[in-house]
Amino acid sequence: IEGCKDAMVRQGHSDVQPATIVAREVTNDLAILKVADKSPVFGKFRGAPQIRLGDSIVVFGYPLAGMLSSTGNLTTGLISSLTGAGDDVSKLQISAPVQSGNSGGAVVDQSGRIVAIVVAKANIQARGTEEKPDIEVIQNVNFAIKAGMAQFFLDANQVNYTVEPPGEDLKTPDVAEIARKFTAQVICEVRR
């Protein structure tokens, strides 16, 4: 919500509601928004044991608004690295494809517990030189803020949340249903 003047939130097929920006955390690209209606469903953070390298993950969000589905999109992947770019320990690297608009979406494990929050994708970069013009395009290199960082932000702003150990692995459509129920699209009017 960088530069956001007025925010609105829409969950599933519901109407758009105005939202108040309660808090922002620029370093980790996090924000807390408040709406008048109370949501009947909330995501739960994963407790111990922590997510491992190679574990399957699911991402649900609202990428490329107006171009893709207005009811949300699902992608799947793996935990590719337990650190982000440059060994940033506050982030995970995931292989699930993400697009513009996925930022802020939860990364959940196969039991539907939140393990991270989508924050960035590697820009598509061509690599090569005049002597060696071979081009390598970076693919499926995406990053998410570890759940612990989001929990610190929520603690600092006195927002309650739930942490539970992972449950049994569910089928991906069941995980998608869990994530869909607690995920909302944030619509922002950017200040000029």
Side-chain angles (χ1 to χ4, degrees):
I1 63 167
E2 183 180 344
C4 191
K5 177 182 171 192
D6 296 314
M8 296 173 283
V9 173
R10 183 174 57 82
Q11 196 162 13
H13 293 292
S14 68
D15 292 331
V16 174
Q17 314 178 48
T20 303
I21 302 167
V22 176
R24 301 172 196 241
E25 205 279 296
V26 177
T27 303
N28 290 309
D29 194 24
L30 295 171
I32 297 172
L33 284 81
K34 183 176 181 177
V35 295
D37 292 346
K38 194 169 189 174
S39 177
V41 180
F42 294 92
K44 297 174 183 175
F45 288 100
R46 177 180 170 141
Q50 295 302 310
I51 196 87
R52 299 177 309 153
L53 183 68
D55 277 348
S56 296
I57 48 101
V58 173
V59 175
F60 185 87
Y62 295 89
L64 301 173
M67 182 178 181
L68 299 179
S69 173
S70 63
T71 59
N73 286 282
L74 174 86
T75 63
T76 61
L78 301 172
I79 299 294
S80 302
S81 176
L82 295 174
T83 60
D87 290 329
D88 182 347
V89 296
S90 69
K91 295 182 179 66
L92 297 170
Q93 181 181 328
I94 60 173
S95 67
V98 298
Q99 319 303 326
S100 297
N102 269 115
S103 290
V107 177
V108 298
D109 66 14
Q110 282 300 132
S111 66
R113 304 295 191 276
I114 301 168
V115 297
I117 310 292
V118 175
V119 69
K121 64 179 183 163
N123 291 327
I124 296 174
Q125 297 177 4
R127 292 180 26 185
T129 63
E130 286 184 32
E131 298 83 37
K132 189 174 180 185
D134 294 340
I135 295 177
E136 179 181 353
V137 178
I138 297 173
Q139 297 179 17
N140 292 337
V141 176
N142 305 300
F143 302 100
I145 299 164
K146 290 180 180 176
M149 301 306 292
Q151 291 169 336
F152 290 143
F153 178 57
L154 293 173
D155 288 341
N157 288 282
Q158 300 175 341
V159 175
N160 295 326
Y161 56 87
T162 303
V163 177
E164 291 183 352
E168 67 178 68
D169 282 0
L170 303 171
K171 292 182 178 182
T172 300
D174 297 324
V175 177
E177 186 62 20
I178 291 168
R180 184 193 62 76
K181 286 181 179 177
F182 70 74
T183 303
Q185 179 183 20
V186 176
I187 304 161
C188 180
E189 182 181 307
V190 178
R191 291 182 187 142
R192 300 275 179 215

